[in-house]
Amino acid sequence: MMAMQNPELQSLQRKIEKLLTVHQALREQNKSMRAAEASWQAERAKLMQQNEIARRKVNEMITRLQTLERNSG
């Protein structure tokens, strides 16, 4: 009975070790992906802020041009 159980236990142990290895790899991948996501989110926020600044500047220029047009016409 012990001889039959031993290979089964070894097989189970190998499977558990493989699962632990995969688990650790997935944890590391998840950590890396979260860091990448945080970086992209920061970049997105920066780009949105730059876009807002550009939008304001364009609106200011349009207003100035309209004022010049009214004053010269």
Side-chain angles (χ1 to χ4, degrees), residues 10 32 46 48 61:
Q10 289 176 348
S32 174
K46 179 183 170 187
M48 287 177 69
M61 290 188 330

Side-chain angles (χ1 to χ4, degrees), residues 9-20:
L9 286 176
Q10 289 176 348
S11 174
L12 183 58
Q13 185 176 2
R14 282 192 302 271
K15 289 176 184 177
I16 290 171
E17 288 170 359
K18 185 176 179 181
L19 281 173
L20 289 172

Side-chain angles (χ1 to χ4, degrees), residues 21-66:
T21 301
V22 170
H23 172 72
Q24 184 60 35
L26 287 173
R27 282 177 58 96
E28 289 171 11
Q29 183 183 23
N30 190 18
K31 183 178 178 181
S32 174
M33 290 175 74
R34 286 181 188 272
E37 180 188 12
S39 175
W40 284 110
Q41 291 288 349
E43 179 70 14
R44 180 178 182 268
K46 179 183 170 187
L47 290 172
M48 287 177 69
Q49 183 180 23
Q50 290 174 346
N51 188 42
E52 179 61 23
I53 291 167
R55 188 189 64 76
R56 280 192 217 135
K57 286 181 180 179
V58 168
N59 284 338
E60 289 171 10
M61 290 188 330
I62 290 170
T63 301
R64 277 192 236 130
L65 287 171
Q66 288 171 340

